[in-house]
Amino acid sequence: DAKTTQPPSMDCAEGRAANLPCNHSTISGNEYVYWYRQIHSQGPQYIIHGLKNNETNEMASLIITEDRKSSTLILPHATLRDTAVYYCIVRVVGGHNFNKFYFGSGTKLNVKP
Amino acid sequence: EAQVTQNPRYLITVTGKKLTVTCSQNMNHEYMSWYRQDPGLGLRQIYYSMNVEVTDKGDVPEGYKVSRKEKRNFPLILESPSPNQTSLYFCASSLSGRSTGNTIYFGEGSWLTVV
């Protein structure tokens, strides 16, 4: 089952904010929303995660709607090096209290000069 | 420096020749996992381990084995590799698999080609 839904691609002008949306309508109360990115075929890089409150760190901001069914990752000043595939992930608890990480197809962000 | 280390990074092998991809983490993490990444299919979990001697199947376990004899190591074993196991493989770890709040760290990936 798909746990998250993201647009397949987005463009953003260098220096502008990039806003990447994600739908996770089946999220449950104790599940966190994580964002990772993958540049070319390198290992996925952690960006940010949150439960219900908005979060901000040195890389990005995460805005989670009040009903928690969707979220937006914001890169405030996108650079060419932010060109990557961005994955929105819901961390679920499996059948035996085990965790799994479900990766979807992600959003390919193209930052253009 | 906290890291997840995989070896080899690149490997070309022949069908049926057993191989092992090693994974080691230096963060004393309990939870470790293996993923494969194929074009158009995203990352799919192969196996995971909650702690030493505790392993379980992920979504695509066929053709793979794992072991977790030590906390820091989680090797992926292909007993009889086939061409459909040609893929990019990632190892990952996190402090605990029982809390959704832990960050997962990924290795840099291992390119495997089976001819």
Side-chain angles (χ1 to χ4, degrees):
Chain A
D1 294 350
K3 300 295 181 180
T4 63
T5 304
Q6 300 176 254
S9 66
M10 292 182 64
D11 291 337
C12 177
E14 189 178 18
R16 304 296 293 268
N19 296 281
L20 291 87
C22 179
N23 287 320
H24 30 79
S25 58
T26 60
I27 194 170
S28 63
N30 65 342
E31 293 172 351
Y32 283 72
V33 179
Y34 279 76
W35 283 84
Y36 278 76
R37 72 180 182 184
Q38 189 174 24
I39 298 172
H40 297 297
S41 295
Q42 299 175 16
Q45 177 190 21
Y46 167 79
I47 302 173
I48 199 167
H49 74 281
L51 182 61
K52 60 175 94 172
N53 297 322
N54 297 339
E55 303 287 345
T56 296
N57 63 19
E58 64 277 5
M59 289 182 69
S61 294
L62 173 61
I63 309 298
I64 302 174
T65 59
E66 192 168 343
D67 63 7
R68 303 212 319 124
K69 292 185 177 182
S70 65
S71 60
T72 301
L73 177 74
I74 301 172
L75 307 178
H77 305 286
T79 71
L80 297 178
R81 284 178 290 185
D82 291 323
T83 292
V85 178
Y86 287 77
Y87 294 99
C88 168
I89 302 155
V90 170
R91 186 101 182 260
V92 302
V93 177
H96 299 282
N97 294 324
F98 296 163
N99 277 235
K100 290 188 177 183
F101 237 48
Y102 286 96
F103 282 81
S105 300
T107 295
K108 176 66 191 304
L109 176 68
N110 299 300
V111 181
K112 302 187 174 182
Chain B
E1 179 188 354
Q3 57 186 5
V4 179
T5 304
Q6 302 177 220
N7 279 296
R9 295 289 313 282
Y10 304 92
L11 179 65
I12 300 175
T13 189
V14 297
T15 299
K17 184 176 181 182
K18 179 179 179 180
L19 69 92
T20 299
V21 186
T22 64
C23 174
S24 179
Q25 48 89 9
N26 63 358
M27 297 168 278
N28 201 36
H29 283 172
E30 290 184 351
Y31 180 86
M32 298 186 73
S33 179
W34 276 102
Y35 292 85
R36 62 178 287 174
Q37 186 173 30
D38 303 289
L41 295 176
L43 280 89
R44 295 178 293 168
Q45 191 179 57
I46 303 171
Y47 268 95
Y48 62 95
S49 169
M50 295 294 287
N51 212 326
V52 176
E53 302 292 0
V54 182
T55 64
D56 207 348
K57 297 177 180 178
D59 298 313
V60 287
E62 294 78 21
Y64 305 94
K65 286 175 58 178
V66 293
S67 68
R68 188 88 182 275
K69 294 183 170 56
E70 307 166 278
K71 200 170 189 178
R72 65 181 292 129
N73 296 322
F74 190 45
L76 179 69
I77 303 158
L78 286 73
E79 292 273 2
S80 181
S82 62
N84 65 11
Q85 292 179 296
T86 292
S87 188
L88 174 59
Y89 291 86
F90 289 104
C91 181
S93 75
S94 72
L95 185 61
S96 169
R98 298 189 185 281
S99 167
T100 55
N102 295 149
T103 300
I104 286 190
Y105 298 86
F106 285 85
E108 284 305 305
S110 296
W111 285 96
L112 172 63
T113 301
V114 183
V115 298

